[in-house]
Amino acid sequence: MSALPVLLLLLVSTPLTSGAQLPNQGQDKDLPIATNGEPFPWGRMRLPTTVFPLHYDLTIHPNLTTLDFTGVVRIQLDVREDTSAIILHAKHMQISNVLLLAPEGVRPLRLLEYPRFHQLGLLSDSVLIKGRKYEVQLEFAANLSDSFHGFYKSSYRTSSGEVRVLASTQFEATFARGAFPCFDEPAFKANFTIQIIREPRHIAISNMPKLKTVELPGGLLEDHFDTTVKMSTYLVAYIVSDFLSVSRTTQHGVKISIYAVPEKIDQTAFALDAAVKLLDFYDDYFDIPYPLPKQDLAAIPDFQSGAMENWGLTTYRETGLLFDPDKSSASDKLGITKVIAHELAHQWFGNLVTMEWWNDLWLNEGFAKFMEFISLDITYPELHVDDFFLEKCFEAMEVDSLSSSHPVSTPVENPTQIQEMFDDVSYDKGACILNMLRDFLTPEAFEIGIIRYLKRYSYQNTVNSHLWESLTNVSLKIKVIKFTVYRVLDWYSGDELDVKAIMDTWTLQEGFPLVTVEVRGREVRLSQERYLKTDDPSLTEGFLWQIPLTYMTSASNTIHRFLLKTKTDVLYLPEDVDWVKFNVDMSGFYMVHYAGEGWNSIIKVLQHNHTALTSNDRASLIHNVFQLVSIGKVKLDTALELSLYLSRETEIMAVTQGFGELVPLYKLMEKRDMAALENQMKGYIVDLFRGLIDKQEWSDSGSVSERVLRSYLLLFGSVRNYPPCLTKATQLFKQWKDSDGNMSLPVDVTMAVFMIGARTPEGWDFLFEKYRSSLQMSLKSRFKAAMAYSPLQDKLKWCQSLHGEVMKTQDLPGVVVSVSKNPHGYKLGWDFLRANWNTLIKKFDLGSSTISHMVTGVTNQYSTKEMLDEVRSFFGSLTEETGSGMRCIQQAYETIEDNIRWMDNNLPLLQAWLDKHSRRTIHEDL
């Protein structure tokens, strides 16, 4: 921990005559002032390490009528240095009756509050002596939060229109302190014994099973829960609701239950199956039994993020857990399974072994994201989850290519900075560098190493280096095992393996490398630099990575390996080749530029025999070549020539990446007055994929990847007014509407049908009525998306409502971003964000991924100097309290600047190429 070490405290503190110390004694001039005007005995945001909690005895009584709660907490303490002050956290609550329970008796403590750091100081008039056992007891009261964190109010409407209220928790990262006084940092692990007082019409659930229920005066009930294992405060959870549940037991004897509102309990069967299968998988894979007797999964009607891994009681958005086999799509199934896999992986990575501080959040989130793919590949092979992994790496590169990015492991102090760590770098880049390391060490060595890491640090807190040590030791042993010796020789060339030295270059510096490859006969010249979207070359200097390069050639299918540790190096091929492809299957987190004739060689392969390369290789080539246009390494016409091969592409990752690079080009034009070029570009993309679109049936047949791709292609064809799609979608919407929504549409085509239906006022109103009355979560999501993409401006304004009466406030950020992507609504999204900024940051919290998603999602397609000035003017007017320092604002500026640069540099080229291509197409047709 980076709180002041005990030794340093002793050096800077002046002992009291009694031999005790205040944590900040001797620095009075720097001490903050408590709410009562006295000096507060601690001046840092991080808690001192003089006192640690051992056990919390917590009783909570929420009142779902008055929407407040009261409670009492007794905390058993481990005093590690003589002190006369206990510093802990509490936020927005009234504290009373603060007592010290000492060996010599009970006495009151003086209470000081410092709201800026959410800290309480409990001052004793005599010394708390190192090594002796003490307890403190505090009574507290607060309102249920009306945000989505702390102990907060949620509600739902029954089909008869009755509104029902429940209370649920969300404590990650720094919100347990809003529910009860506690040491709210991940390294202050303790055991928790929880009692919850409720009315008979509700149930209460928490991390552990209920032991007994006691009747209290006044008709109330008190549920007593078993004591938890040793864990961090952010993992504590409890819910008071009228939920129903379904249960099953795993092969390892763990009871799994899914909780949901009564009218949706019939949508829980799939999640129950998935949770049982995945918990059994992790139990075996990690070779560590799941340590609790039960695992509950609860679908909360109001939930800001996707889900939360509270130990033994994971919580989810309803869309992340509820599944209807008749109305949910293939991508719904994939999404639900991935989120359950993610949260259950956390029961080991994050809960059992926890990062010491939030700077290493990636140890939790990168691993859970990575394990989604490892676990589902084995437990649900039919989902073809590998088809979707690259997308995570491309999303991470998008953020990591900006100068406002941050290292995977980066210093953070205040709650806003901590919240900002929950981003694509911690999750997706974290997962991608773990995937690279697994490929580098071999899956066998990697699995042995992470099991060793989990076993060695169970119930403890870790830093980056603990993981690298666990993996280095295993890998060194595996060097002598016969079956991997060929891999080791490939990589290490006799050098001693140092996983830490390699991985520090990926976790302690931001960004990622661009490897330039130039083939001259059998000589391959390599160089590395930082890939950065900027016009300031000085920002790319001083970066060096140890890069596990992989490559294959036209002459052999063997994957060759080479660890590039220096700025430049040379490889020698055993024979002449027509082409070389580096970063095989894009298992490494780097881009590749093929200098000289390299790109032309690649384009020839793709045009004449694209299946010589895997679909992941093809997707990464599409991604790399278009990204290299952004920094001027490749001319736009080279990238567009490469894209021509897509007319023969059928695999989901390569097709969607083709769309992912081409569609944003006309989205930038939509924000400028250039309809002719914009329509030319749209026409090119439709033309490119017409053959594949024509092959799609309007049905639900095929594998998950085929179904997800079908949904994507038919939606694109319909929205772009491609006549066969437009006609079919219009006809299906009319039939569906005429049947009052009772006709059974193929799930895969519903998005296209609803999007076309939402274009007319009558169609939009019909979708709205269906949205209002539906209890089916994935169907509601599709209604909502279609309504937000309507060309009808007055309807789009309705979508952006803060009242939450029909559309849940949790869904608002996604809708605002959808409206902003709509060519008829992009200014509406921006105007809404500005007008409601203060309300939004209060509801969704400064630094949260929700706010970040809104800021970047609303602005990232702007491409004019006027819009950049408008965005700068608004965000420049904010104060620190209203978010001026947030990283997402810098990302927004950089992205718009990059868009402007791209348009200025490439529009004439794009116009010329499209003119030439359309002439070429006409000539070919003749």
Side-chain angles (χ1 to χ4, degrees):
M1 290 182 62
S2 60
L4 202 61
V6 171
L7 180 62
L8 198 52
L9 275 170
L10 290 170
L11 292 174
V12 300
S13 302
T14 307
L16 302 175
T17 51
S18 59
Q21 64 186 59
L22 292 175
N24 252 21
Q25 191 81 24
Q27 298 185 336
D28 285 4
K29 65 180 189 303
D30 300 324
L31 288 181
I33 302 301
T35 49
N36 67 352
E38 292 182 37
F40 189 79
W42 183 245
R44 293 170 180 77
M45 195 162 285
R46 298 281 298 276
L47 296 179
T49 54
T50 46
V51 175
F52 270 71
L54 293 172
H55 180 265
Y56 292 79
D57 203 308
L58 174 64
T59 301
I60 293 267
H61 178 198
N63 186 321
L64 299 191
T65 306
T66 56
L67 303 181
D68 53 19
F69 63 93
T70 56
V72 58
V73 65
R74 183 189 288 195
I75 311 171
Q76 190 181 326
L77 303 173
D78 174 18
V79 178
R80 300 191 176 180
E81 291 298 325
D82 290 2
T83 185
S84 54
I86 300 161
I87 311 297
L88 70 164
H89 289 113
K91 181 181 177 185
H92 296 158
M93 56 176 60
Q94 297 150 324
I95 309 291
S96 58
N97 295 338
V98 184
L99 302 174
L100 178 71
L101 290 69
E104 55 274 14
V106 178
R107 61 176 186 272
L109 291 171
R110 210 151 58 79
L111 173 69
L112 295 178
E113 299 184 58
Y114 186 55
R116 184 172 167 229
F117 290 170
H118 313 148
Q119 287 174 357
L120 301 178
L122 313 183
L123 272 54
S124 170
D125 52 12
S126 63
V127 186
L128 277 63
I129 297 165
K130 175 182 173 178
R132 294 183 71 182
K133 294 293 182 267
Y134 299 87
E135 289 184 277
V136 289
Q137 182 172 298
L138 305 92
E139 292 179 20
F140 56 94
N143 292 321
L144 287 171
S145 169
D146 59 3
S147 65
F148 296 97
H149 42 255
F151 192 24
Y152 70 94
K153 181 200 90 159
S154 172
S155 65
Y156 69 94
R157 193 181 293 271
T158 66
S159 53
S160 65
E162 181 193 353
V163 174
R164 295 190 182 168
V165 175
L166 59 132
S168 182
T169 57
Q170 170 61 33
F171 291 165
E172 191 177 37
T174 58
F175 302 117
R177 64 192 65 173
F180 62 98
C182 57
F183 295 79
D184 198 14
E185 292 182 8
F188 288 84
K189 287 190 168 186
N191 305 94
F192 296 81
T193 306
I194 294 172
Q195 292 82 233
I196 298 176
I197 299 170
R198 61 177 171 88
E199 294 178 64
R201 64 195 173 108
H202 293 129
I203 62 159
I205 50 177
S206 186
N207 304 83
M208 295 297 285
K210 186 169 69 176
L211 295 178
K212 64 178 180 178
T213 300
V214 176
E215 288 190 25
L216 300 180
L220 294 173
L221 301 175
E222 183 177 72
D223 292 330
H224 291 237
F225 295 91
D226 205 350
T227 300
T228 69
V229 294
K230 191 176 167 192
M231 66 188 204
S232 305
T233 47
Y234 77 88
L235 296 170
V236 173
Y238 35 87
I239 301 168
V240 177
S241 69
D242 66 346
F243 287 176
L244 297 180
S245 66
V246 293
S247 304
R248 261 185 42 211
T249 303
T250 69
Q251 289 174 9
H252 295 82
V254 179
K255 184 183 179 185
I256 307 264
S257 303
I258 313 283
Y259 285 83
V261 304
E263 288 179 305
K264 295 175 186 172
I265 198 68
D266 59 350
Q267 297 175 45
T268 55
F270 179 74
L272 185 59
D273 284 345
V276 168
K277 193 185 279 195
L278 284 160
L279 201 72
D280 273 331
F281 167 80
Y282 287 135
D283 234 313
D284 295 333
Y285 183 88
F286 294 134
D287 193 33
I288 299 171
Y290 174 73
L292 308 187
K294 62 95 175 173
Q295 167 68 229
D296 298 335
L297 298 83
I300 311 296
D302 299 278
F303 201 81
Q304 181 170 333
S305 56
M308 176 60 206
E309 69 266 20
N310 317 301
W311 215 344
L313 172 52
T314 51
T315 47
Y316 300 76
R317 267 194 186 213
E318 289 184 321
T319 47
L321 203 61
L322 303 179
F323 181 85
D324 181 332
D326 297 324
K327 296 192 175 69
S328 298
S329 66
S331 57
D332 293 329
K333 178 181 273 194
L334 180 69
I336 288 167
T337 321
K338 278 171 66 180
V339 78
I340 294 171
H342 183 101
E343 303 315 324
L344 296 186
H346 270 311
Q347 307 302 298
W348 285 264
F349 274 102
N351 299 11
L352 184 68
V353 179
T354 313
M355 78 266 134
E356 186 167 295
W357 180 244
W358 300 105
N359 62 310
D360 281 330
L361 174 69
W362 85 278
L363 287 172
N364 286 14
E365 297 300 350
F367 253 109
K369 178 61 68 179
F370 171 71
M371 287 309 300
E372 289 176 29
F373 292 89
I374 297 295
S375 62
L376 295 186
D377 193 38
I378 295 166
T379 54
Y380 285 89
E382 70 276 13
L383 292 179
H384 296 292
V385 73
D386 273 356
D387 286 344
F388 304 93
F389 185 73
L390 275 200
E391 182 186 10
K392 298 290 122 197
C393 302
F394 296 149
E395 285 170 9
M397 284 178 162
E398 188 69 31
V399 176
D400 214 21
S401 64
L402 303 175
S403 62
S404 52
S405 186
H406 63 89
V408 169
S409 178
T410 197
V412 288
E413 284 296 313
N414 65 52
T416 299
Q417 291 170 345
I418 292 167
Q419 286 282 93
E420 286 188 308
M421 289 297 285
F422 291 79
D423 68 355
D424 287 345
V425 173
S426 295
Y427 284 71
D428 296 342
K429 182 179 179 179
C432 294
I433 63 174
L434 287 169
N435 186 56
M436 175 171 70
L437 181 59
R438 179 176 184 255
D439 182 64
F440 174 62
L441 296 177
T442 74
E444 299 85 359
F446 183 82
E447 185 177 339
I448 292 165
I450 62 172
I451 290 168
R452 169 181 286 200
Y453 166 77
L454 288 171
K455 287 185 171 176
R456 182 179 294 171
Y457 296 107
S458 289
Y459 304 104
Q460 296 176 58
N461 297 81
T462 57
V463 295
N464 264 348
S465 56
H466 293 141
L467 178 62
W468 308 144
E469 286 157 18
S470 299
L471 287 160
T472 296
N473 294 342
V474 167
S475 305
L476 288 172
K477 283 181 184 158
I478 284 215
K479 280 181 87 164
V480 299
I481 298 175
K482 230 176 190 172
F483 76 85
T484 57
V485 100
Y486 72 93
R487 284 289 299 271
V488 173
L489 294 176
D490 272 341
W491 284 120
Y492 313 130
S493 318
D495 290 350
E496 204 58 59
L497 170 65
D498 185 346
V499 173
K500 183 177 186 300
I502 295 166
M503 295 309 293
D504 279 354
T505 69
W506 296 92
T507 59
L508 301 183
Q509 60 184 351
E510 69 270 28
F512 59 89
L514 167 63
V515 176
T516 298
V517 176
E518 188 166 7
V519 181
R520 298 187 178 181
R522 293 185 186 180
E523 185 181 271
V524 182
R525 297 187 178 187
L526 304 168
S527 63
Q528 62 161 295
E529 63 191 292
R530 183 182 176 190
Y531 176 92
L532 191 64
K533 289 181 179 175
T534 179
D535 48 6
D536 181 355
S538 70
L539 294 173
T540 63
E541 291 166 9
F543 287 84
L544 186 70
W545 285 265
Q546 292 198 25
I547 311 172
L549 294 179
T550 53
Y551 62 98
M552 57 188 291
T553 71
S554 56
S556 118
N557 284 331
T558 306
I559 297 176
H560 303 276
R561 300 169 186 277
F562 180 76
L563 188 62
L564 179 63
K565 294 181 174 184
T566 50
K567 204 80 174 160
T568 60
D569 211 330
V570 180
L571 277 173
Y572 294 94
L573 302 173
E575 59 208 311
D576 289 331
V577 298
D578 296 328
W579 53 265
V580 180
K581 165 68 173 73
F582 273 78
N583 202 358
V584 178
D585 279 338
M586 203 169 156
S587 58
F589 196 73
Y590 58 93
M591 281 192 207
V592 184
H593 172 40
Y594 300 92
E597 283 299 300
W599 279 111
N600 291 335
S601 306
I602 297 275
I603 289 169
K604 275 184 197 152
V605 183
L606 290 172
Q607 285 177 342
H608 297 114
N609 182 23
H610 68 277
T611 54
L613 296 162
T614 66
S615 65
N616 272 8
D617 276 329
R618 303 195 300 267
S620 71
L621 287 166
I622 296 162
H623 173 265
N624 286 194
V625 77
F626 277 94
Q627 295 305 311
L628 290 168
V629 172
S630 289
I631 60 167
K633 292 273 185 187
V634 170
K635 285 253 189 305
L636 177 62
D637 45 8
T638 303
L640 291 167
E641 288 294 324
L642 184 144
S643 76
L644 285 167
Y645 105 89
L646 284 164
S647 63
R648 291 186 300 285
E649 184 58 84
T650 58
E651 296 290 331
I652 185 167
M653 200 59 241
V655 170
T656 53
Q657 199 51 42
F659 276 110
E661 299 298 340
L662 293 166
V663 167
L665 306 192
Y666 73 70
K667 298 304 285 182
L668 295 180
M669 295 174 214
E670 285 175 351
K671 316 299 180 289
R672 296 186 175 198
D673 190 15
M674 42 175 48
L677 182 59
E678 179 193 321
N679 287 327
Q680 220 176 333
M681 185 69 208
K682 289 173 179 174
Y684 169 65
I685 302 173
V686 171
D687 203 40
L688 197 57
F689 293 106
R690 178 184 294 161
L692 193 56
I693 294 171
D694 288 343
K695 286 195 185 105
Q696 303 306 309
E697 295 173 2
W698 291 65
S699 72
D700 284 338
S701 60
S703 70
V704 168
S705 294
E706 287 166 344
R707 293 184 59 186
V708 171
L709 183 58
R710 170 189 298 129
S711 190
Y712 194 103
L713 289 165
L714 295 180
L715 174 60
F716 177 79
S718 301
V719 169
R720 289 278 59 82
N721 300 319
Y722 177 50
C725 291
L726 183 59
T727 304
K728 183 72 173 174
T730 307
Q731 173 200 342
L732 285 174
F733 184 78
K734 183 179 184 306
Q735 291 171 352
W736 179 74
K737 183 170 175 285
D738 288 347
S739 76
D740 196 28
N742 294 316
M743 171 187 163
S744 183
L745 288 169
V747 179
D748 296 348
V749 311
T750 50
M751 203 62 252
V753 172
F754 297 159
M755 283 276 192
I756 296 308
R759 287 179 170 183
T760 66
E762 312 78 54
W764 195 96
D765 289 343
F766 185 75
L767 285 167
F768 174 74
E769 281 311 314
K770 292 295 159 196
Y771 175 83
R772 186 204 290 272
S773 61
S774 176
L775 291 170
Q776 213 289 318
M777 300 318 296
S778 53
L779 198 54
K780 280 177 88 86
S781 294
R782 293 196 286 281
F783 291 147
K784 187 176 69 211
M787 292 191 296
Y789 207 74
S790 169
L792 308 168
Q793 292 228 350
D794 57 324
K795 304 294 190 185
L796 295 180
K797 282 179 183 161
W798 175 88
C799 283
Q800 300 184 135
S801 162
L802 273 163
H803 301 308
E805 281 157 22
V806 177
M807 187 181 73
K808 287 273 184 190
T809 308
Q810 65 176 14
D811 297 327
L812 181 67
V815 169
V816 172
V817 171
S818 294
V819 169
S820 301
K821 303 287 183 227
N822 180 338
H824 304 279
Y826 73 94
K827 280 290 283 179
L828 294 176
W830 171 237
D831 290 344
F832 179 86
L833 186 70
R834 282 188 299 182
N836 297 284
W837 180 257
N838 289 336
T839 308
L840 291 167
I841 59 172
K842 189 174 173 207
K843 186 78 177 172
F844 296 107
D845 213 59
L846 274 185
S848 68
S849 55
T850 310
I851 293 293
S852 172
H853 176 59
M854 271 196 283
V855 169
T856 54
V858 165
T859 60
N860 66 9
Q861 292 178 349
Y862 294 156
S863 61
T864 63
K865 177 81 168 54
E866 293 73 27
M867 280 312 298
L868 177 61
D869 291 343
E870 206 172 292
V871 169
R872 279 191 184 280
S873 170
F874 172 69
F875 288 127
S877 71
L878 300 180
T879 63
E880 192 177 342
E881 289 71 34
T882 55
S884 64
M886 285 193 298
R887 187 184 292 121
C888 59
I889 293 172
Q890 295 308 314
Q891 289 170 343
Y893 296 160
E894 281 190 70
T895 301
I896 301 171
E897 287 164 356
D898 178 53
N899 291 345
I900 294 169
R901 239 186 346 265
W902 195 99
M903 298 289 269
D904 291 348
N905 294 341
N906 292 297
L907 277 182
L909 263 172
L910 181 60
Q911 181 73 70
W913 190 87
L914 287 172
D915 288 346
K916 183 175 135 195
H917 176 261
S918 56
R919 282 199 301 276
R920 194 160 69 188
T921 308
I922 291 164
H923 181 70
E924 284 166 3
D925 289 346
L926 295 172

